[in-house]
Structure formats: C-alpha cells, structure tokens
Amino acid sequence: MINNFIHSKAIHHIHEECGVFGVYSQTAMDVASLAYYGLFALQHRGQESAGIVVNDDGLFRDCRGMGLVNEVFSQEKLQALGSGNMVVGHVRYATTGGSNMVNVQPLVINHHKGRMALAHNGNLTNSFALRSQLEEKGSIFHTTTDSEVIAYVIVQERLKCGSIEEAVYRAMERLEGAYCLVISSPAKLIAARDPHGFRPLCMGKTREGAICFTSETCALDAVGAEFVRDIAPGEVVTVDAQGIHSQQGHCGKAPKSLCVFEYIYFARPDSVVDGACVSLARQQAGRFLAMEHPVDADVVIGVPDSGLEAAIGYAAQSGIPYAIGFTKNKYIGRTFIAPSQGRGKTA
C-alpha cells in the first residue's frame, strides 16, 4: 500500500530536465574541477541538487547536496574530492521521486562484482513494473527514483555477464522510456542513450586528451573540450585503458524521437543538439508561428529566456518590430520585471 502510494505520487510529479557529465582520463588529473564547470554550464537543466563522484583508480569519493552547483561545491569540498582518472556528475530537477537528499545523484552502488556510480537523465515508462519485480526478488530501495531501478537492473545483468558494458547493453533490453546514462565502474566510463534518443547526449575531447560525455555541448565549451559527436540513439560507448569502444546493436530498433522541448525550453541557446543549433531552431519556430498564426500587432515581445529567440524569429518573419518587454533578474530566482508599460498591442 505504501509503495503504491509512493509510485503513484512520483508518477504524477514527473519533470525530465536533468544534466549528466562524465570524464575519463588515461592519467590522474583534477577531474572534479572539470565536472564542476561542466555542471555549472548545465545548471539550467536542474537547480534542485547536484553531485560529483570522483573515481581514483577504483577508489570512489563523492560530494552531493541540495541546491545550486556553486552552493553544493565549495573550493574545500572540490579539493577534498582530490584527483582521479574518472568523474561522473549530475544536476537534478526532480524526475520520478521527491526533492530530497536521498534522491541526489550520481547514485553509488556496491555490488558483488565491484562498485558503480550512475547519473541518469530521463524517465522510464516501465519503472513501476521493474521496481515491483526487483522488490519481489529481494531488492531494497533507498530512493524513490527510477534511476535506482536502472542501477539495480544493470547490477542484475552484471552478475550474469563478464563486463559492465555488456551488463548495460543487456539492461537496455529491459528498460523502456527516456534515459541517457553516464556510468563509472572501477576501470571504465560508459555512456548510453535510449533507442529513441529522447534526451541528448554527446561526446567531446579535452586538450589533454580526456574523453567527456555530457547532456549538452555548452558543457564541453565550459571545460575547453572539442565536440566529437553525438551518441547515437541506442548506442553504448565505453572508454577504458584500451580506448573507445562502441556497441550499436540497439541502434535503429526504434524511430528517433528527440523530445521537442529540448529545442523549445530545456537546452541552452548556445548548445547544438543532434546537429541543430538551439538558438536558430527557436528562431525558426518563431518564423513558422508567424506564418501559421499572423496577428495585427505593434510589437513582438519574448518572455525570458527561452522565448526570446522565438520572438526574434516571429518579428523577422512578420515584419513587426521586436521590443524588449521583460527583463529577467538572474539574481532572484525566477522573477520577472516589466521595465515599461506600453499602450500598443503586443504579439
């Protein structure tokens, strides 16, 4: 009864904007700072909590907390994480599960064959069924998130196969819905994207040769990394001491279905998602809106921040002047200030 209540409550409070970030380096380096700046660039995807797990040759050190990235990680906490050759980071805007400390990611799981740190963006549509199956077999859940469901499914598969990447590949056959994963085992960093490609995930390379995985290209820019490519829907990419390996057996099993809200709202304007610039996509959406729904107006005003580019596109297509109508105060949460009161009609 209690579990059903938890699941029911979680399902009715679904938000999908989270950000993931991971780095693999052949040599030990200050990966915690890379994760900090990467997560800072992804802050728009989640403002409720943040976490970093550093992997120093199999030794996991983590720092997680509620709040913004710069609130969770002080200079002292970043220094305490130390150097390592791998890191996994996450910013969260509650997916399934409540907004509290126990649900902060990355999740660190201890199992019979080692340890695993997992960061997840998305939502499973079969989370409730999988969780019920796992609980019936003795699994004890500590969170109310579907991310822990994913972790336990991977652990189940890991106990039956020879490698963590094979376990992730097999787990994907049981997972339904949206998921982008960045996972650290003691010796490998793994990135996986669901066969539909609902959420964005890309790979980059730093000047030092470290490999990065992240939700958006803006995080690569923040750490001075070069964009390499997007992770294909259904693909599993593993990085270890031998290099980069790709498993594409799940690719093409489902139609590509990137969530349109990545372009409309979730993603940062300076990011490039699946080959398309978010800012230009929003402007084009505004042009299409002007063609489909023309209006008689004096000015076009956008509501910060995601609506600004669409308003610019609408104005360009319609010939109606664009005007700054609202200014967002970036220092007081989600507050909007109207600097002027016009008497004309507004689009």
Side-chain angles (χ1 to χ4, degrees):
M1 183 77 122
I2 293 175
N3 282 340
N4 286 340
F5 171 76
I6 291 173
H7 295 317
S8 174
K9 188 175 182 181
I11 288 170
H12 286 88
H13 290 79
I14 292 177
H15 304 282
E16 298 181 338
E17 318 89 295
C18 293
V20 298
F21 187 85
V23 176
Y24 180 97
S25 172
Q26 292 287 0
T27 58
M29 60 184 296
D30 185 11
V31 289
S33 291
L34 284 179
Y36 174 85
Y37 290 113
L39 294 181
F40 196 87
L42 296 173
Q43 186 73 88
H44 59 287
R45 297 188 72 88
Q47 297 91 40
E48 293 188 358
S49 64
I52 292 175
V53 178
V54 169
N55 180 350
D56 182 14
D57 196 25
L59 175 64
F60 286 53
R61 293 184 292 268
D62 70 281
C63 178
R64 295 173 291 171
M66 302 299 295
L68 301 175
V69 172
N70 64 349
E71 296 171 338
V72 174
F73 306 110
S74 63
Q75 189 63 38
E76 292 76 17
K77 289 180 178 179
L78 288 174
Q79 289 176 348
L81 286 171
S83 62
N85 65 312
M86 276 182 273
V87 69
V88 175
H90 188 269
V91 287
R92 184 170 188 262
Y93 189 75
T95 55
T96 51
S99 176
N100 52 58
M101 185 61 197
V102 73
N103 289 327
V104 178
Q105 296 186 42
L107 301 178
V108 179
I109 306 294
N110 297 302
H111 58 91
H112 178 63
K113 292 190 176 182
R115 303 189 82 188
M116 175 178 72
L118 177 146
H120 165 225
N121 173 32
N123 283 103
L124 300 184
T125 55
N126 65 337
S127 176
F128 177 77
L130 287 174
R131 183 171 179 135
S132 298
Q133 294 170 11
L134 290 164
E135 287 175 333
E136 288 171 0
K137 293 181 180 180
S139 295
I140 299 174
F141 284 81
H142 301 281
T143 78
T144 56
T145 68
D146 51 4
S147 304
E148 191 176 16
V149 172
I150 295 173
Y152 283 1
V153 171
I154 292 173
V155 169
Q156 276 192 342
E157 297 299 333
R158 180 67 183 94
L159 299 178
K160 298 184 291 185
C161 65
S163 68
I164 181 65
E165 63 267 36
E166 183 62 25
V168 173
Y169 182 86
R170 292 185 182 186
M172 290 172 66
E173 297 174 354
R174 299 168 58 185
L175 305 177
E176 298 174 6
Y179 54 90
C180 281
L181 308 173
V182 177
I183 302 168
S184 173
S185 74
K188 300 173 182 178
L189 187 69
I190 299 164
R193 190 178 182 189
D194 73 74
H196 288 279
F198 286 121
R199 297 280 157 225
L201 189 64
C202 64
M203 178 169 63
K205 187 175 184 180
T206 69
R207 285 186 288 268
E208 297 78 17
I211 300 300
C212 305
F213 297 106
T214 185
S215 296
E216 293 184 38
T217 58
C218 63
L220 299 178
D221 297 335
V223 300
E226 177 187 2
F227 171 79
V228 175
R229 66 177 179 88
D230 291 301
I231 305 305
E235 184 179 16
V236 179
V237 180
T238 305
V239 189
D240 57 18
Q242 284 69 50
I244 303 172
H245 321 280
S246 173
Q247 294 170 280
Q248 300 188 8
H250 292 308
C251 297
K253 287 187 174 181
K256 186 176 179 180
S257 305
L258 179 73
C259 176
V260 70
F261 254 72
E262 289 291 346
Y263 292 116
I264 295 171
Y265 180 73
F266 294 159
R268 224 171 75 172
D270 56 332
S271 287
V272 177
V273 176
D274 283 350
C277 172
V278 174
S279 177
L280 294 180
R282 289 176 182 170
Q283 290 181 37
Q284 186 66 16
R287 292 188 181 94
F288 287 148
L289 182 62
M291 289 187 282
E292 293 179 10
H293 298 281
V295 296
D296 178 21
D298 298 308
V299 292
V300 178
I301 294 175
V303 177
D305 280 326
S306 57
L308 298 179
E309 283 85 2
I312 291 171
Y314 192 102
Q317 179 65 36
S318 65
I320 302 171
Y322 172 80
I324 298 175
F326 294 91
T327 301
K328 182 178 180 181
N329 189 327
K330 295 183 181 295
Y331 302 98
I332 313 178
R334 299 192 174 203
T335 300
F336 298 87
I337 299 172
S340 63
Q341 297 290 331
R343 294 184 177 276
K345 290 178 287 184
T346 304

